[in-house]
C-alpha cells in the first residue's frame, strides 16, 4: 500500500461480515431457499466472498450450496486488443448450470464490463434459468445496463478514486479502502 | 604514364626491403626504387615526370595477388561478371587474381580460357589468370587438355568446388600437370564423408540440427594428395585449408621436404562455427567455418609458414542464392573487398609481421603460379598496392563493386585499407 | 511476470520463468477443452496462419484446434518443399503472408532454422512447429506439462530419451527444456544416432538402452524414421528393434512408477512394444496429445499482442 496515496477505510472486518450475512439471507429470501441455487465467484476477489457466502448459506440451510470459480479474462472486451496478456487463472465449475439460478459474486461493481464478460462465460457453460448478481461494493459509474441484485454497500465515488477490497485470504486483512489517485 | 611515389614505407619481401623509399614507374614497369630518386629525378628532368604522389604514412607493397577467386562469367553473370569481379579486385587492393574454372561452361577448353582473358582485357583493371579444370566439366572422369589450356593461358589446374574423388585421376593430373609446370590446386573434400553436410560437425551442428561436415572430410583428402605428391615426386597446392588436422599434415609434409603448398582464407582465421547460430546464410561456406581450435591452428600454420598463401575464395552470389533456408543456400563469401583488412588483423594480433603478410598475399602466390609478379624489383611490372594501415572504415555491402553482396562482415569495423591500386603503371583504383 | 517474447523459435531461448508461465497458462486452458462449448471469444478477429512445409496431421490439427477454440481465424497453407526449392522462396512467401496481415504464423519446415529466417523477415509472431532436426518447442512444452501433471514436478526427475537423437528435434527441445527445469536427462541410442558433442548439452549418453533406463522416472521413446536406413545409421529394423525397443523386460530397470512417452506416431514393435504403448498404467501418450492443444492455446494467447 503506497504511502503517497490518500487512503480512507470505509468498511472494517465486522462491517464486511455483517454485509455478507445480510446478503446470504437476502439471497435465500429472494430465491425461497437454496433449491436450484449455485454460487459462482469471479476471480479473484469474488471467489473469497463467494466462499464466505457459501459457508454462511450452508450454515443457515444445513446443506452445502455448490460453488464455482470463474476467470473472465478470456471474455474481456479489451483482451483482443491488449498488448500484454494478463495471467490466466483457472476456471472451475464442476456442475451443470442448466436450469440453475446462478448467483455471481464479485467484490466491486464498477463499469459492469467484468459482469458482462462473466455472463457470456456462464452461458458457454450451459443455460441457467436466471443469473443474479451479488457484490460487496457498488461504486457506480456503470458503462453497461447492469445492476446488482444484492449489494453490501453503495459507495458513491469519484473516478479519480480507487476502491480496494482487502480480504484476509488475499491481503491478510479485511477492509474496504478508498484511495485517492495521486 | 610516369609516376613517382614518395614518402611511403616500402615493403617487398622478395627483395627483403622494408624501409622508406621512393619508387618511380615508367612505361608500365618499375623503373627505379631507392631513397634518393625524387631529388635526382627532379633536378635532372622534372618535365619527364607526369605525376608525383606523396604517400607519407602509407605502405607500398608489390601488387596483391588473390590466387583463388570465382568470377562466375561465363554462365552466372547475375552473381558476378569478369568486369565487376576485377573492379572488386582493385578496390580490395588486388592487382592480379586467378579465377577458378567452375563457370558455365566450365573452363575446361581453350575457347573458354580465351573468352575469360578477352573479357578481362576489355575490363582492363586487374590482371586475370584463368585456372583450367582438371577434368572435363569438372566431373572427375576424364582429364582436360592441359597442354592446349596452358597455351591458351591458364596458370594452374583445379576442379575447385568439385573435389577429385578418384585418386587415380588425381595422380594422373598431378603427374601430367607437373611436367607442364602447371600447379594442381586441390579442393580437399571427401564427398562421401561430407555428403549432405551444411556446417562444421561439432557441438554447434548438433544444437542447430544442421548436418555436419567433419574435419576428416578435408583431412583425408589432404593426406591422400600429399601421399600422391610424395610418391610421384610432384607438387600439390592445397586450397582453402580450414582444419587443425590439415595444418598438421601439411606441416609434416613440408618437414619431409615435399613440394606441398597451401592457402587459407580470411574467414577461417576470423570466424568460427559459433557464428552460425543465427542461421545467417552469409556464414555458409565450403569448407565450413570450423571450431575455435581449428582457427588457432590456422593462425599457427600461417605464423610458421605451413600455410603459404592467403586467398579469399571470393565466391559472389545473387540474393536468390542466399536469401533462402540455410539448407538450400549457396556456399561462399564475396571476399575481395574485405580480404586485406581482415588479413591485416593478423598483424594487429601479432600472428604475422608486415613482410610475412605481404609474402602470403603477393610474393608466394606469384611464386606458386609461376607469375612474373609479386616484387617491386626494378624492371618488374608496375603492379603496386598502396595501403593506409590506420584507415578506419566500416564494411558496407552497398558499396561493394562486386555483384556479390554476400558477406558476413557487413557492418564490421576495420582498420587498414588499400587506397591506391596501380596495375601496369596505371592507377586502377584511387580510394584516397 | 509479463511475456515479452515476439516469437517462440526454440526452448533454448526461453527462461525458466517463461516456461513456467507457459505451462501455468496452459493448465488454465485445459478446462476449456472439457466444456460443452469448447470455445472462448478471446482471439476474435485474430488470424493465425499454419504454414506447413512438411506433412504433419497431428501438429497442424492441434494448432488449428487451439486457434479455433480461442475464436481466431485459422488458415492452413501446405507448401511442398520441392516447389520452394525451384521457385518461390521462403522470403517471397513471407512477404506475401505479411501483406495479408496475420497475427501469428505457425511454421513447420524440414530445413533447420527456417522459422528463424521467417522471424527475421516479418513483424508477426512466429511459432516454430518443428524445424528440421533443430527444435520442436511446442512438443517439449506439452511433454513437460504431461510430466509435471503426472509427477507433480520436473526438477530432480531422471528422464531417459531413447532412439535417433541425431535427427530428432523433439530430443533437442526436451534436452533444453527438461535440463532447465532441473531434470536429469540421459540419452541412449546406437552410436550412429548420437550427434557429435551432444554430451556438451549437459546430458549423459549411453549406447545401450538398459544403461539409460536404470531408475528412470520418465522414458521418452523417439520415432525411428524408416528412410534413415539408407544412410546406414542402422542396419535393419529387425536389429534395431531387438536392441532398442522398450519392452516388458527392460522397462523393469526403470522406477516402478515410470511413465512412457512418445511424440507419435508410433512404430509399434519397433521402438516400443504394443503392450507398453497401450498400458494405461505407464503410457501417457494420449495425455500428451490432449496437453498439446492447451499448450498451443497458451502460446497463441501469450503471443497475440494487439495494436501498439
Amino acid at each position: 500500500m503506497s504511502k503517497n496515496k490518500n487512503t480512507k477505510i470505509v468498511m472494517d472486518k465486522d462491517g464486511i461480515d455483517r454485509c455478507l450475512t445480510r446478503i446470504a439471507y437476502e439471497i435465500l429470501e429472494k430465491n425461497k431457499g437454496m433449491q436450484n441455487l449455485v454460487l459462482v465467484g469471479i476471480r479473484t476477489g469474488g471467489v473469497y466472498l463467494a466462499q464466505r457466502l457459501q459457508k454462511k448459506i450452508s450454515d443457515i440451510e444445513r446443506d452445502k450450496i455448490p460453488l464455482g470459480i470463474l476467470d473472465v479474462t478470456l471474455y474481456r472486451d479489451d483482451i483482443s486488443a491488449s498488448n500484454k496478456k494478463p495471467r490466466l487463472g483457472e476456471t472451475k465449475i464442476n456442475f451443470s448450470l442448466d436450469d440453475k439460478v446462478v448467483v455471481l459474486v464479485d467484490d466491486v461493481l464498477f463499469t459492469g464490463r467484468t459482469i458482462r464478460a462473466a455472463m457470456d462465460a456462464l452461458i458457454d457453460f450451459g443455460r441457467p434459468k436466471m443469473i443474479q448478481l451479488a457484490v460487496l461494493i457498488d461504486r457506480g459509474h456503470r458503462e453497461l445496463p447492469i445492476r446488482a441484485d444484492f449489494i453490501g454497500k453503495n459507495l458513491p465515488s469519484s473516478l479519480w478514486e480507487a476502491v480496494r477490497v482487502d480480504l484476509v485470504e488475499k491481503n491478510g486483512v479485511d477492509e474496504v479502502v478508498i484511495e485517492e489517485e495521486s | 604514364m610516369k609516376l613517382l611515389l614518395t614518402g611511403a614505407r616500402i615493403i617487398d619481401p622478395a627483395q627483403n626491403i622494408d624501409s622508406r623509399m621512393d619508387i618511380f614507374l615508367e612505361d608500365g614497369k618499375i623503373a627505379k626504387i631507392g631513397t634518393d630518386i625524387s631529388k635526382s629525378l627532379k633536378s635532372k628532368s622534372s618535365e619527364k615526370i607526369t605525376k608525383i604522389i606523396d604517400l607519407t604514412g602509407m605502405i607500398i607493397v608489390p601488387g596483391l595477388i588473390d590466387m583463388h577467386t570465382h568470377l562466375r562469367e561465363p554462365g552466372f553473370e547475375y552473381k558476378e561478371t569478369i568486369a565487376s569481379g576485377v573492379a572488386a579486385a582493385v578496390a580490395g587492393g588486388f592487382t592480379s587474381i586467378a579465377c577458378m574454372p567452375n563457370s558455365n561452361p566450365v573452363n575446361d577448353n581453350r575457347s573458354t580460357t580465351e573468352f575469360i582473358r578477352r573479357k578481362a582485357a576489355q575490363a582492363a583493371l586487374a590482371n586475370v589468370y584463368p585456372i583450367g579444370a582438371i577434368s572435363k566439366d569438372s566431373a572427375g572422369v576424364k582429364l582436360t587438355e592441359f597442354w592446349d589450356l596452358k597455351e591458351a593461358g591458364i596458370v594452374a589446374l583445379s576442379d575447385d568446388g568439385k573435389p577429385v574423388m578418384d585418386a587415380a585421376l588425381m595422380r594422373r593430373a598431378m603427374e601430367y600437370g607437373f611436367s607442364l609446370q602447371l600447379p594442381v590446386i586441390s579442393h580437399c573434400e571427401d564427398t562421401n564423408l561430407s555428403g549432405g553436410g551444411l556446417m562444421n560437425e561439432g557441438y554447434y551442428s548438433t544444437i542447430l540440427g544442421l548436418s555436419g561436415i567433419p574435419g576428416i572430410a578435408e583431412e583425408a583428402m589432404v593426406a591422400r594428395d600429399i601421399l600422391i605428391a610424395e610418391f610421384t615426386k610432384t607438387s600439390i597446392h592445397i586450397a582453402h585449408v580450414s582444419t587443425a588436422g590439415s595444418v598438421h599434415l601439411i606441416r609434416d609434409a613440408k618437414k619431409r621436404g615435399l613440394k606441398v603448398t597451401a592457402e587459407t582464407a580470411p574467414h577461417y582465421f576470423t570466424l568460427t562455427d559459433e557464428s552460425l547460430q543465427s542461421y545467417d546464410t552469409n556464414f555458409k561456406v565450403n569448407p565450413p567455418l570450423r571450431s575455435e581450435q581449428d582457427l588457432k591452428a590456422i593462425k599457427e600454420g600461417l605464423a610458421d609458414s605451413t600455410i603459404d598463401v592467403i586467398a579469399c575464395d571470393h565466391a559472389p552470389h545473387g540474393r536468390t542464392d542466399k536469401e533462402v533456408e540455410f539448407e538450400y543456400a549457396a556456399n561462399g563469401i564475396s571476399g575481395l573487398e574485405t580480404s586485406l583488412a581482415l588479413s591485416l588483423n593478423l598483424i594487429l594480433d601479432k600472428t604475422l609481421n608486415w613482410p610475412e603478410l605481404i609474402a602470403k598475399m603477393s610474393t608466394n602466390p606469384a611464386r606458386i603460379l609461376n607469375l612474373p609478379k609479386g616484387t617491386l624489383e626494378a624492371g618488374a611490372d608496375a603492379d603496386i598496392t598502396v595501403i593506409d594501415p590506420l584507415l578506419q572504415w566500416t564494411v558496407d555491402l552497398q558499396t561493394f563493386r562486386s555483384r556479390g553482396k554476400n558477406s558476413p562482415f557487413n557492418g564490421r569495423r576495420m582498420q587498414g585499407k588499400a587506397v591506391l591500386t596501380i596495375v601496369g603503371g596505371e592507377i586502377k583504383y584511387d580510394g584516397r | 511476470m509479463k511475456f515479452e517474447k515476439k516469437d517462440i523459435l526454440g526452448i533454448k531461448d526461453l527462461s525458466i520463468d517463461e516456461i513456467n508461465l507457459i505451462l501455468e497458462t496452459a493448465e488454465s486452458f485445459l478446462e476449456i477443452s472439457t466444456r460443452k462449448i469448447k470455445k472462448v471469444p478471446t482471439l476474435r478477429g485474430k488470424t493465425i496462419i499454419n504454414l506447413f512445409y512438411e506433412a504433419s496431421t497431428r501438429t497442424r490439427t492441434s494448432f488449428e484446434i487451439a486457434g479455433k477454440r480461442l475464436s481466431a481465424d485459422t488458415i492452413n497453407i501446405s507448401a511442398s518443399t520441392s516447389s520452394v526449392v525451384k521457385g518461390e522462396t521462403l522470403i517471397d512467401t513471407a512477404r506475401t503472408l505479411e501483406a495479408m496481415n496475420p497475427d501469428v504464423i505457425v511454421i513447420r519446415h524440414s530445413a533447420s532454422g527456417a522459422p528463424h529466417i521467417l522471424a527475421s523477415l516479418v513483424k508477426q509472431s512466429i511459432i516454430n512447429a518443428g524445424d528440421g532436426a533443430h527444435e520442436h518447442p511446442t512438443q517439449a512444452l506439452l511433454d513437460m506439462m504431461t510430466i509435471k501433471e503426472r509427477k507433480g514436478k520436473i526438477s530432480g526427475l531422471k528422464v531417459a530419451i531413447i532412439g535417433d537423437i541425431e535427427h530428432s528435434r523433439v530430443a533437442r527441445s526436451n534436452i533444453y527444456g527438461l535440463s532447465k527445469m532441473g531434470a536429469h536427462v540421459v540419452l541412449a541410442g546406437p552410436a550412429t544416432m548420437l550427434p557429435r558433442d551432444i554430451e556438451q548439452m549437459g546430458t549423459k549418453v549411453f549406447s545401450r538402452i538398459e544403461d539409460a533406463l536404470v531408475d528412470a522416472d520418465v522414458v521418452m521413446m523417439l520415432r525411428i524414421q524408416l528412410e534413415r536406413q539408407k544412410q546406414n545409421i542402422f542396419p535393419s529394423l529387425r536389429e534395431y528393434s531387438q536392441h532398442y525397443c522398450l519392452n516388458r523386460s527392460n522397462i523393469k530397470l526403470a522406477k516402478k512408477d515410470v511413465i512412457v512417452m512418445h511424440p507419435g506416431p508410433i512404430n509399434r514393435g519397433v521402438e516400443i512394444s504394443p503392450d507398453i504403448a497401450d498400458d494405461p498404467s505407464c503410457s501417457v501418450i494420449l495425455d500428451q496429445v490432449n496437453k498439446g492443444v492447451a499448450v498451443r492455446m497458451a502460446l497463441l494467447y501469450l503471443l497475440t499482442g494487439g495494436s501498439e
Side-chain angles (χ1 to χ4, degrees):
Chain A
M1 279 154 257
S2 133
K3 290 242 170 72
N4 54 15
K5 280 180 183 170
N6 207 357
T7 67
K8 190 172 82 188
I9 296 173
V10 291
M11 196 187 284
D12 61 5
K13 184 177 185 303
D14 291 342
I16 291 173
D17 192 58
R18 277 193 291 272
C19 278
L20 290 175
T21 306
R22 175 170 53 75
I23 290 173
Y25 278 107
E26 282 177 5
I27 289 172
L28 288 171
E29 185 187 6
K30 177 164 180 154
N31 295 294
K32 301 184 173 62
M34 57 169 277
Q35 194 90 37
N36 258 347
L37 203 62
V38 299
L39 297 174
V40 173
I42 298 173
R43 266 184 191 278
T44 51
V47 173
Y48 306 119
L49 293 176
Q51 283 165 346
R52 294 190 194 185
L53 280 175
Q54 179 191 35
K55 185 166 185 309
K56 287 186 187 295
I57 291 171
S58 302
D59 285 351
I60 298 164
E61 296 288 305
R62 296 200 176 79
D63 194 4
K64 195 160 186 184
I65 180 167
L67 171 67
I69 294 169
L70 187 62
D71 185 301
V72 302
T73 310
L74 297 173
Y75 291 83
R76 274 167 48 175
D77 56 8
D78 58 351
I79 191 76
S80 191
S82 81
N83 189 14
K84 292 293 171 204
K85 296 293 189 274
R87 208 170 183 124
L88 271 195
E90 197 189 5
T91 289
K92 205 166 150 188
I93 300 175
N94 295 332
F95 44 84
S96 166
L97 295 183
D98 289 343
D99 295 322
K100 294 278 167 33
V101 174
V102 179
V103 180
L104 268 176
V105 184
D106 203 1
D107 49 4
V108 179
L109 177 59
F110 184 26
T111 62
R113 288 178 190 272
T114 301
I115 306 306
R116 197 281 308 158
M119 290 192 292
D120 277 355
L122 284 182
I123 284 161
D124 278 356
F125 280 86
R127 187 178 182 281
K129 183 165 173 243
M130 189 186 278
I131 299 176
Q132 298 172 356
L133 175 62
V135 296
L136 185 64
I137 303 292
D138 181 350
R139 61 170 292 194
H141 303 291
R142 213 76 74 241
E143 292 169 5
L144 294 173
I146 281 170
R147 59 160 186 82
D149 299 275
F150 314 102
I151 298 168
K153 185 179 174 69
N154 280 302
L155 197 63
S157 60
S158 61
L159 277 171
W160 54 89
E161 288 171 328
V163 175
R164 201 181 69 227
V165 175
D166 291 332
L167 296 170
V168 171
E169 296 92 326
K170 192 165 71 169
N171 323 74
V173 60
D174 274 356
E175 60 185 22
V176 179
V177 178
I178 288 188
E179 287 176 344
E180 204 173 311
E181 303 281 352
S182 54
Chain B
M1 176 122 165
K2 300 181 183 82
L3 266 179
L4 178 64
L5 310 178
T6 64
R9 171 183 172 191
I10 295 187
I11 297 171
D12 181 12
Q15 302 182 80
N16 261 322
I17 291 175
D18 180 0
S19 61
R20 264 185 77 139
M21 282 198 262
D22 301 332
I23 189 162
F24 181 55
L25 317 178
E26 191 171 20
D27 301 328
K29 301 283 178 190
I30 293 169
K32 237 177 193 176
I33 174 165
T35 40
D36 49 356
I37 307 177
S38 68
K39 282 178 210 155
S40 63
L41 279 175
K42 271 180 201 161
S43 60
K44 274 201 300 188
S45 47
S46 55
E47 85 284 353
K48 273 176 72 181
I49 301 163
T50 314
K51 206 170 176 189
I52 302 173
I53 304 176
D54 178 15
L55 295 172
T56 307
M58 304 290 139
I59 295 178
I60 290 179
V61 301
L64 301 180
I65 301 170
D66 195 308
M67 66 178 289
H68 194 139
T69 70
H70 297 270
L71 292 183
R72 307 300 189 202
E73 190 179 357
F76 305 102
E77 291 81 359
Y78 76 97
K79 296 175 192 260
E80 189 83 290
T81 62
I82 289 167
S84 64
V86 289
V90 292
F94 295 95
T95 56
S96 297
I97 55 178
C99 63
M100 286 296 172
N102 60 339
S103 47
N104 184 19
V106 168
N107 184 15
D108 58 5
N109 59 78
R110 175 185 280 271
S111 59
T112 305
T113 303
E114 286 169 348
F115 170 84
I116 293 167
R117 296 188 63 198
R118 197 166 58 243
K119 284 278 178 177
Q122 282 165 9
L125 289 170
N127 304 303
V128 174
Y129 296 98
I131 295 168
I134 290 172
S135 61
K136 276 274 161 207
D137 213 20
S138 286
V141 179
K142 195 173 180 298
L143 289 186
T144 56
E145 295 168 327
F146 290 6
W147 208 304
D148 200 34
L149 283 164
K150 183 175 164 109
E151 283 172 0
I154 65 159
V155 295
L157 294 159
S158 182
D159 273 355
D160 185 64
K162 283 190 179 167
V164 179
M165 285 297 290
D166 181 339
L169 182 79
M170 193 60 169
R171 173 193 171 167
R172 297 306 176 205
M174 287 163 68
E175 287 173 334
Y176 190 32
F178 189 72
S179 73
L180 298 171
Q181 284 97 49
L182 279 175
V184 173
I185 301 171
S186 179
H187 170 134
C188 290
E189 177 185 351
D190 183 322
T191 54
N192 291 319
L193 281 168
S194 66
L198 302 167
M199 66 173 291
N200 182 47
E201 181 174 340
Y203 173 68
Y204 290 103
S205 66
T206 289
I207 65 166
L208 293 173
L210 294 171
S211 52
I213 301 172
I216 53 167
E218 174 175 315
E219 292 150 9
M221 294 301 250
V222 170
R224 181 199 75 174
D225 291 346
I226 288 170
L227 291 172
I228 297 173
E230 181 170 25
F231 180 73
T232 57
K233 301 190 175 61
T234 60
S235 69
I236 188 72
H237 178 78
I238 310 291
H240 41 57
V241 169
S242 73
T243 77
S246 298
V247 172
H248 296 151
L249 288 163
I250 296 161
R251 181 178 291 133
D252 176 65
K254 285 191 165 188
K255 258 186 211 148
R256 290 188 288 126
L258 305 180
K259 290 187 275 292
V260 176
T261 53
E263 72 189 35
T264 191
H267 37 273
Y268 301 117
F269 56 74
T270 308
L271 301 170
T272 65
D273 54 358
E274 194 183 348
S275 333
L276 287 152
Q277 286 184 93
S278 60
Y279 291 98
D280 182 344
T281 58
N282 283 316
F283 290 90
K284 190 179 178 189
V285 279
N286 188 27
L289 300 176
R290 303 287 186 182
S291 71
E292 196 65 47
Q293 292 110 284
D294 291 307
L295 183 147
K296 245 186 94 212
I298 297 285
K299 284 193 176 183
E300 285 163 12
L302 284 162
D304 71 2
S305 295
T306 300
I307 297 174
D308 309 87
V309 170
I310 295 170
C312 75
D313 195 359
H314 178 68
H317 285 294
R319 284 180 57 177
T320 49
D321 301 311
K322 283 290 193 181
E323 283 189 356
V324 292
E325 294 84 334
F326 196 87
E327 213 170 303
Y328 312 136
N331 287 306
I333 291 172
S334 178
L336 281 171
E337 288 160 87
T338 52
S339 184
L340 175 61
L342 292 169
S343 302
L344 288 173
N345 285 328
L346 295 172
I347 295 175
L348 296 176
D349 74 11
K350 304 216 168 11
T351 303
L352 299 175
N353 61 34
W354 272 96
E356 286 167 344
L357 179 71
I358 299 311
K360 290 184 202 299
M361 298 189 77
S362 181
T363 326
N364 296 350
R367 190 193 73 230
I368 291 165
L369 297 176
N370 307 306
L371 304 178
K373 303 277 183 188
T375 177
L376 298 173
E377 240 176 323
D381 292 340
D383 289 359
I384 286 174
T385 303
V386 179
I387 300 167
D388 181 344
L390 299 176
L391 183 72
Q392 305 277 331
W393 62 290
T394 304
V395 181
D396 177 2
L397 292 180
Q398 296 322 310
T399 66
F400 270 25
R401 279 147 179 90
S402 168
R403 287 197 178 177
K405 314 290 184 208
N406 50 304
S407 169
F409 302 112
N410 192 30
R412 186 181 272 247
R413 292 289 300 160
M414 298 279 203
Q415 182 182 324
K417 196 174 189 306
V419 290
L420 198 59
T421 308
I422 299 170
V423 182
E426 288 180 31
I427 294 173
K428 299 296 187 181
Y429 171 77
D430 190 346
R432 288 173 302 157
Chain C
M1 90 173 264
K2 298 267 190 201
F3 198 78
E4 306 282 359
K5 287 262 181 320
K6 168 184 170 272
D7 311 299
I8 302 290
L9 299 178
I11 301 289
K12 180 169 183 267
D13 315 319
L14 295 177
S15 67
I16 294 171
D17 284 346
E18 285 167 334
I19 292 173
N20 275 324
L21 175 62
I22 294 166
L23 295 185
E24 280 162 27
T25 307
E27 275 156 28
S28 303
F29 276 115
L30 269 181
E31 169 266 329
I32 292 168
S33 298
T34 66
R35 296 184 192 172
K36 262 194 241 165
I37 297 173
K38 302 175 183 59
K39 201 179 184 88
V40 290
T42 318
L43 298 188
R44 233 169 7 155
K46 299 277 177 191
T47 306
I48 297 163
I49 292 181
N50 290 325
L51 180 60
F52 276 61
Y53 284 90
E54 210 179 53
S56 153
T57 316
R58 289 167 170 254
T59 308
R60 205 210 63 223
T61 312
S62 181
F63 268 108
E64 194 178 348
I65 291 176
K68 289 195 158 139
R69 289 195 177 157
L70 287 168
S71 297
D73 296 312
T74 60
I75 292 144
N76 295 320
I77 300 176
S78 303
S80 84
T81 324
S82 55
S83 75
V84 170
V85 179
K86 282 185 213 127
E88 192 181 26
T89 64
L90 178 63
I91 280 90
D92 295 328
T93 310
R95 303 241 157 91
T96 310
L97 294 180
E98 188 174 33
M100 296 175 187
N101 205 20
D103 297 282
V104 180
I105 300 173
V106 177
I107 178 174
R108 155 75 63 102
H109 202 298
S110 60
S112 300
H116 303 68
I117 295 174
L118 192 60
S120 70
L121 289 168
V122 303
K123 60 179 185 294
Q124 282 85 3
S125 289
I126 304 295
I127 300 180
N128 180 2
D131 64 323
H134 178 229
E135 281 230 43
H136 193 350
T138 56
Q139 177 72 40
L141 288 165
L142 72 89
D143 288 342
M144 287 190 268
M145 191 176 170
T146 307
I147 293 171
K148 211 175 153 196
E149 187 191 67
R150 288 296 177 121
K151 297 287 178 190
K153 59 172 186 181
I154 295 174
S155 183
L157 296 179
K158 179 177 175 181
V159 182
I161 306 179
I162 315 287
D164 185 359
I165 311 292
E166 164 124 42
H167 298 98
S168 176
R169 52 192 172 215
V170 176
R172 284 172 181 77
S173 287
N174 266 307
I175 293 169
Y176 279 127
L178 292 166
S179 306
K180 277 182 199 194
M181 303 306 281
H184 171 50
V185 181
V186 299
L187 310 172
T192 49
M193 295 182 182
L194 301 170
R196 198 168 173 81
D197 298 334
I198 183 82
E199 59 285 346
Q200 284 182 34
M201 290 182 82
T203 62
K204 265 205 172 144
V205 184
F206 300 100
S207 56
R208 296 171 68 92
I209 183 173
E210 291 80 8
D211 295 330
L213 289 179
V214 173
D215 290 331
D217 297 283
V218 178
V219 182
M220 207 175 271
M221 302 304 295
L222 301 174
R223 178 178 164 78
I224 282 294
Q225 308 252 281
L226 306 183
E227 63 272 17
R228 302 272 178 224
Q229 215 170 319
K230 280 185 241 137
Q231 301 169 5
N232 276 319
I233 63 169
F234 61 106
S236 66
L237 276 185
R238 174 176 167 273
E239 175 146 315
Y240 182 83
S241 63
Q242 273 174 3
H243 299 283
Y244 291 96
C245 183
L246 185 70
N247 56 38
R248 277 278 166 237
S249 99
N250 58 22
I251 202 173
K252 290 195 185 102
L253 294 164
K255 291 229 178 90
K256 275 206 166 52
D257 59 349
V258 67
I259 57 171
V260 176
M261 308 178 80
H262 192 295
I266 304 174
N267 296 309
R268 279 164 196 275
V270 178
E271 63 255 1
I272 186 162
S273 74
D275 56 331
I276 301 253
D278 298 332
D279 181 351
S281 72
C282 63
S283 169
V284 297
I285 295 168
L286 291 177
D287 244 32
Q288 290 173 267
V289 179
N290 173 34
K291 303 283 184 292
V293 174
V295 158
R296 287 163 184 133
M297 284 172 86
L299 290 179
L300 291 174
Y301 171 75
L302 291 169
L303 283 181
T304 43
S307 49
E308 277 172 82

